[in-house]
Amino acid sequence: VRVRGATGEAVAVSARAAPREHAITARGARLAWRQWGEDHEYPVLALHGWLDNAASFDALGPLLVGHRLIALDLPGHGLSDQRGPHGSYNIWDDLPDLVWLTAELGLVRYALLGHSRGAAIATLLAAIEPDAVSSLVLLDGMLTPMFREEDTVAQLRQFAHDYGRRRSRGPRVFTGVEEAVAARCAATGIDPRAAAMLVPRSLEPVPGGWRWRTDGRLRHASALKLTRGNVRNVLEALQLPALQFRAAQGLVARPLDQECSGWLRALAVEEIAGCHHCHMLGQAPAIAARMQDFWRTCGQG
């Protein structure tokens, strides 16, 4: 099996490069994931970023030898179901599904890996499941930004109007995958190489072409957000080893992120060149090697 290296050349890797696809009905809805590694290897639950999917870990998965990497499509993303008509996408809404899934898979003790929005969700999950989560790796993300209490009414108003009045025009139909990739790049500024890896899993075929499977409500406002005090309480509750990668051209808000880093006592920070999705690109081997060293130090494979 061959994958693309830092400059686009083909690089030989083991058969581990081909993940296995899984799905389960969780709390009445389908949850899908990709898995690299074997069930007996140390489990790592991987959570992707906003509007992404399990393919976010396609570059890292083959490299994390000795670990069972479970890369989930979070609800509303990828091949997982969208939330029901009364559902919403606050970052804490995913926690019950994750608690259910880890129990169903028999993950008594596991590591967490999160990118961007997935890093924030992983941080919350680590805080509420201290006996289960053994370590935390954050890819260009953390539990930020913070919410000002004086914005409470405005935030609730936007949330209520988005979910109560906003009407979908229906998903756009693309004539081909390449057109959808270009649209994703134009909308979010994502690196085209990363978009080309992510977009196919976020599409479904329809007459005349392809449309997004991703739930449009992911663009709606949250009901509320976490305040500075909330974030500090969560991070100071964490008593586990943690590693964060900060991308030089990433999206992490440096001043806020540096303040928060001081609240997570056992956090190690690695600066890495590249963009917000650098873990999917040429930096993947270096990131994977550092993660493997970190897990070995933690006694996790």
Side-chain angles (χ1 to χ4, degrees), residues 4-7 49 52 55-61 63 113-116 137-141 189-195 197-198 244-252 254 270-289 291:
R4 294 292 166 186
T7 58
D52 292 349
S56 180
F57 301 99
D58 279 5
L60 290 176
L63 304 175
L113 167 62
H115 171 240
S116 195
V137 176
L138 308 171
L139 300 173
D140 206 48
I190 186 176
D191 186 288
R193 296 167 295 174
M197 296 169 69
L198 290 165
Q244 183 194 41
F245 292 92
R246 292 179 185 163
Q249 290 82 48
L251 299 183
V252 169
R254 287 296 189 269
E270 296 279 345
E271 301 284 347
I272 191 161
C275 65
H276 187 54
H277 286 83
C278 64
H279 65 287
M280 301 180 65
L281 305 173
Q283 294 84 351
I287 291 173
M291 287 167 55

Side-chain angles (χ1 to χ4, degrees), residues 43-47 110-114 121-123 125-126 133-138 295:
V44 179
L45 180 63
L47 307 179
Y110 58 93
L112 278 174
L113 167 62
I121 296 170
T123 305
L125 183 60
V133 178
S134 56
S135 65
L136 181 63
V137 176
L138 308 171
W295 286 329

Side-chain angles (χ1 to χ4, degrees), residues 63-276:
L63 304 175
L64 300 177
V65 177
H67 291 87
R68 175 190 180 188
L69 187 69
I70 302 164
L72 184 65
D73 287 327
L74 290 164
H77 298 80
L79 304 183
S80 290
D81 282 348
Q82 299 180 1
R83 297 205 182 278
H86 301 295
S88 61
Y89 290 96
N90 301 290
I91 60 170
W92 50 80
D93 288 334
D94 290 310
L95 296 178
D97 296 307
L98 297 172
V99 168
W100 186 95
L101 180 66
T102 54
E104 188 69 14
L105 296 181
L107 305 185
V108 177
R109 190 79 169 153
Y110 58 93
L112 278 174
L113 167 62
H115 171 240
S116 195
R117 179 179 183 267
I121 296 170
T123 305
L124 291 175
L125 183 60
I128 68 169
E129 295 285 85
D131 294 332
V133 178
S134 56
S135 65
L136 181 63
V137 176
L138 308 171
L139 300 173
D140 206 48
M142 205 171 175
L143 196 61
T144 56
M146 301 176 201
F147 181 62
R148 301 186 311 163
E149 292 181 354
E150 54 266 37
D151 293 333
T152 298
V153 172
Q155 185 71 31
L156 282 171
R157 180 185 299 114
Q158 187 62 54
F159 163 78
H161 287 189
D162 277 358
Y163 280 92
R165 294 183 179 176
R166 196 164 164 181
R167 295 291 178 263
S168 172
R169 294 174 294 179
R172 175 180 171 185
V173 176
F174 301 97
T175 57
V177 174
E178 296 79 7
E179 185 183 0
V181 169
R184 173 71 196 271
C185 292
T188 65
I190 186 176
D191 186 288
R193 296 167 295 174
M197 296 169 69
L198 290 165
V199 163
R201 193 173 177 90
S202 293
L203 295 173
E204 61 183 357
V206 294
W210 303 84
R211 70 180 180 189
W212 296 120
R213 291 178 48 87
T214 311
D215 196 334
R217 291 176 296 175
L218 282 157
R219 298 181 180 274
H220 289 5
S222 299
L224 289 174
K225 298 181 182 180
L226 301 180
T227 66
R228 182 178 186 276
N230 294 147
V231 172
R232 182 166 188 165
N233 179 262
V234 169
L235 295 181
E236 289 185 342
L238 295 174
Q239 303 292 323
L240 78 178
L243 172 65
Q244 183 194 41
F245 292 92
R246 292 179 185 163
Q249 290 82 48
L251 299 183
V252 169
R254 287 296 189 269
L256 283 175
D257 190 68
Q258 289 168 1
E259 180 183 16
C260 292
S261 297
W263 299 335
L264 211 174
R265 297 179 183 84
L267 179 68
V269 177
E270 296 279 345
E271 301 284 347
I272 191 161
C275 65
H276 187 54

